[in-house]
Amino acid sequence: MEHPFYLYNTLSRKKEQFIPVAAPHVGMYVCGPTVYGDAHLGHARPAITFDILYRYLTHLGYKVRYVRNITDVGHLEADADDGEDKVAKKARLEQLEPMEVVQFYLTRYRHAMEALNVLPPSIEPMASGHIIEQIRLVEEILKAGYAYESKGSVYFDVEKFNREKGYGKLSGRNIEDMLSNTRTLDGQDEKRNPLDFALWKCAKPEHLMHWPSPWSEGFPGWHCECTAMGRKYLGDLFDIHGGGMDLVFPHHECEIAQAEAAMGHELVRYWMHNNMITIEGKKMGKSYGNFITLDEFFAGSHPKLTEAYSPMTIRFFILGAHYRGTVDFSNEALQAARKGLMRLLDANALLDKLTPGATSTFDPKEIEKSAQEAMNDDLNTPIVIATLFDAATKINRLRNGEESLTQDDLAELKRVFRLYLFDILGLQDERESSSSGAEAYKGAMDLLMEIRKTAKDNKDWATSDKIRDRLAELGFIVKDTKQGAEWSLGE
């Protein structure tokens, strides 16, 4: 590749040049949500992070098969091997079938992702639809000697795997330290070792979701689904496995152990993890009870919110930080994100009003080069955004006659600006819509601008100023330029 693309690999703890297993095809697996509640800001971050990766790989010419799973069984409370299934608990509390809970929250999750302009994955497999594949995986691990059966359940033998192949390579955890810090919990007498994790669990009589297996009527362990489904749809060696940083241990560490135990070799080349969203310095999540759902952001209906924030403001807020850095929620940060997004969208609208000059005072290809270098350096979206802000400054200077571009270079500026703003960053102008309501809204504003222009032509400054001032009170900014008055929705 002329311009190499680098990604940070959690496994090697360094940036590595991305070289696919079977170019031009790329296989990418990302851990999706456990669907027992509404999606919150913490769900939006991995979805947007890997949406950016999906978009950029596609832009580079790769044919990407993007698999993002849905966990609907086997994810027990506190990510443990004992306790109640998260989906089943919700079903019991609401007196519903578990699949009613799954369907309800999955539909809402997809609607939230659509609002955020997150592209749907190529395949969205569900854990409950791949029980056979998970049973086969457990059989492979048993046959290889890295698992054992106990009271109808099957557990992974972490100590044996560590002795022969090494456990903890992704998280950097030491098994001896973990053993000394792990207390034996109630119900763990089935295990030889407290670190051993469940591959298959024998279902208790009250358990709502269970299937027949060679060992018992039960259900798969949480970690099995991603290994089994990743292999099914992407093969025994694929390119990228992603998810939130909270999944590094135990989920992804256990996935690596399972896959290597079953196959004798690695399953994934590049492990990628986005960092967390925090609220008042603490991770935002259901288990902490401090999360704000995406619908609450869109409606402004949570006590911590001073107002509603649109989906694109949320997307821009998340992209304003590098995916491996933390993002701390605040109303001030979201307001700044909205202001920044409006500045870029206003610059984009201005592009169509510019007239070409005889010469060019700058090269739009330099803007593209800067944005491309940032994306090739581990998806550095904050630098891409900074590059677009610089371009927006130049667009405003073009309008004011302080810069000039030839017709060809102006066309190039439009292409580059919109490629990165819309296609790669996946932002949208929410003010634009083909609906009759939006057309009427724009038409009404244009009419007001015409009335104001007539007033100015007639030197009726009182009417002209009144229209401008009243619109400002309503949140609209009116600017008088050499080309005429322009309006935009302000902060």
Side-chain angles (χ1 to χ4, degrees):
M1 187 183 289
E2 185 184 350
H3 302 287
F5 176 38
Y6 286 86
L7 291 173
Y8 184 86
N9 190 346
T10 308
L11 191 61
S12 65
R13 293 164 182 74
K14 63 183 181 183
K15 292 178 192 176
E16 297 179 11
Q17 184 177 348
F18 178 67
I19 302 171
V21 174
H25 299 280
V26 170
M28 181 168 85
Y29 188 101
V30 175
C31 289
T34 301
V35 280
Y36 68 103
D38 277 333
H40 56 69
L41 199 59
H43 291 115
R45 193 168 195 196
I48 290 170
T49 296
F50 292 101
D51 181 59
I52 295 292
L53 178 57
Y54 184 27
R55 287 169 181 272
Y56 194 61
L57 287 169
T58 303
H59 166 71
L60 292 176
Y62 293 115
K63 296 176 180 176
V64 186
R65 179 177 289 173
Y66 176 16
V67 181
R68 187 183 67 208
N69 73 301
I70 299 296
T71 298
D72 59 351
V73 66
H75 195 172
L76 307 188
E77 290 182 291
D79 301 346
D81 283 334
D82 284 282
E84 200 165 2
D85 183 293
K86 292 182 177 185
V87 170
K89 180 180 180 180
K90 187 78 169 183
R92 177 177 59 78
L93 292 173
E94 298 191 5
Q95 296 183 303
L96 297 169
E97 280 290 326
M99 287 303 127
E100 282 184 279
V101 171
V102 168
Q103 190 64 48
F104 179 79
Y105 287 112
L106 178 54
T107 298
R108 290 172 69 82
Y109 174 79
R110 285 172 174 161
H111 285 161
M113 293 304 106
E114 187 178 352
L116 291 167
N117 200 27
V118 169
L119 299 173
S122 316
I123 304 171
E124 198 171 44
M126 298 173 75
S128 63
H130 296 78
I131 300 298
I132 291 170
E133 288 83 358
Q134 293 177 77
I135 289 173
R136 284 179 185 153
L137 172 66
V138 178
E139 288 174 333
E140 285 180 272
I141 298 170
L142 277 166
K143 188 177 179 182
Y146 292 104
Y148 56 90
E149 186 181 350
S150 175
K151 299 181 181 177
S153 294
V154 181
Y155 293 97
F156 190 90
D157 192 333
V158 170
E159 202 161 23
K160 181 180 179 183
F161 181 83
N162 181 63
R163 195 165 56 244
E164 297 181 9
K165 293 180 179 290
Y167 180 81
K169 61 189 80 172
L170 186 70
S171 62
R173 299 193 182 201
N174 180 286
I175 191 169
E176 286 75 23
D177 292 342
M178 287 192 284
L179 279 170
S180 64
N181 293 321
T182 305
R183 59 192 177 89
T184 303
L185 301 172
D186 292 340
Q188 287 196 335
D189 57 328
E190 297 177 357
K191 299 182 182 184
R192 295 176 185 171
N193 186 312
L195 290 182
D196 294 348
F197 56 89
L199 299 171
W200 185 266
K201 285 288 289 181
C202 178
K204 294 174 181 175
E206 66 272 16
H207 203 90
L208 293 173
M209 292 185 281
H210 47 83
W211 292 263
S213 79
W215 316 287
S216 66
E217 185 80 13
F219 55 93
W222 174 38
H223 312 304
C224 286
E225 62 177 286
C226 294
T227 303
M229 294 191 292
R231 287 174 68 189
K232 179 179 176 70
Y233 296 111
L234 300 174
D236 286 349
L237 177 64
F238 59 88
D239 299 297
I240 298 166
H241 194 319
M245 201 169 278
D246 55 334
L247 297 178
V248 171
F249 187 89
H251 189 48
H252 290 167
E253 194 74 78
C254 294
E255 274 197 66
I256 287 175
Q258 287 170 167
E260 292 189 12
M263 301 186 298
H265 62 79
E266 66 176 355
L267 177 64
V268 177
R269 282 267 185 90
Y270 305 87
W271 287 87
M272 291 181 64
H273 297 91
N274 64 274
N275 213 321
M276 300 294 99
I277 300 249
T278 57
I279 181 164
E280 295 165 351
K282 190 173 184 180
K283 180 197 164 187
M284 182 183 287
K286 288 193 184 78
S287 55
Y288 296 101
N290 67 346
F291 64 95
I292 304 174
T293 71
L294 292 173
D295 283 347
E296 285 173 331
F297 273 105
F298 302 159
S301 57
H302 190 279
K304 286 190 180 291
L305 299 174
T306 57
E307 58 192 288
Y309 297 101
S310 74
M312 286 304 104
T313 298
I314 299 295
R315 186 177 178 105
F316 193 77
F317 166 67
I318 288 172
L319 294 177
H322 190 272
Y323 77 90
R324 287 192 288 115
T326 55
V327 173
D328 195 50
F329 156 80
S330 71
N331 282 285
E332 293 76 19
L334 280 164
Q335 287 161 5
R338 182 176 58 208
K339 184 178 178 181
L341 176 60
M342 286 302 113
R343 183 182 163 200
L344 294 183
L345 293 174
D346 286 346
N348 173 66
L350 195 56
L351 278 169
D352 289 326
K353 299 175 183 175
L354 299 177
T355 53
T359 59
S360 293
T361 55
F362 67 92
D363 185 357
K365 287 187 171 64
E366 288 299 314
I367 296 168
E368 182 168 34
K369 182 185 175 189
S370 176
Q372 185 180 48
E373 285 175 355
M375 288 300 292
N376 283 341
D377 183 18
D378 195 29
L379 305 177
N380 200 327
T381 56
I383 299 297
V384 175
I385 289 170
T387 301
L388 291 176
F389 279 141
D390 288 344
T393 299
K394 285 182 164 58
I395 290 167
N396 282 299
R397 288 172 63 83
L398 283 164
R399 176 193 59 185
N400 297 335
E402 299 163 39
E403 299 271 10
S404 173
L405 284 181
T406 63
Q407 187 167 343
D408 287 348
D409 282 345
L410 181 56
E412 182 69 4
L413 177 61
K414 289 178 182 179
R415 181 192 69 80
V416 169
F417 195 81
R418 288 165 179 171
L419 169 68
Y420 280 89
L421 184 64
F422 299 129
D423 296 350
I424 292 175
L425 294 185
L427 295 161
Q428 295 174 316
D429 193 338
E430 291 162 319
R431 302 169 298 185
E432 293 179 0
S433 170
S434 59
S435 69
S436 58
E439 289 297 322
Y441 166 84
K442 182 179 181 299
M445 285 300 298
D446 289 344
L447 177 62
L448 280 170
M449 292 301 100
E450 283 181 33
I451 294 169
R452 183 170 178 270
K453 182 179 183 301
T454 301
K456 286 186 73 176
D457 290 345
N458 293 332
K459 295 185 170 50
D460 181 0
W461 311 120
T463 301
S464 168
D465 291 348
K466 183 177 180 181
I467 292 172
R468 183 197 61 207
D469 294 345
R470 283 291 291 123
L471 285 172
E473 289 172 20
L474 295 169
F476 293 92
I477 296 170
V478 177
K479 290 181 181 176
D480 291 308
T481 72
K482 291 177 183 177
Q483 286 77 33
E486 296 172 355
W487 64 271
S488 63
L489 190 57
E491 298 177 31

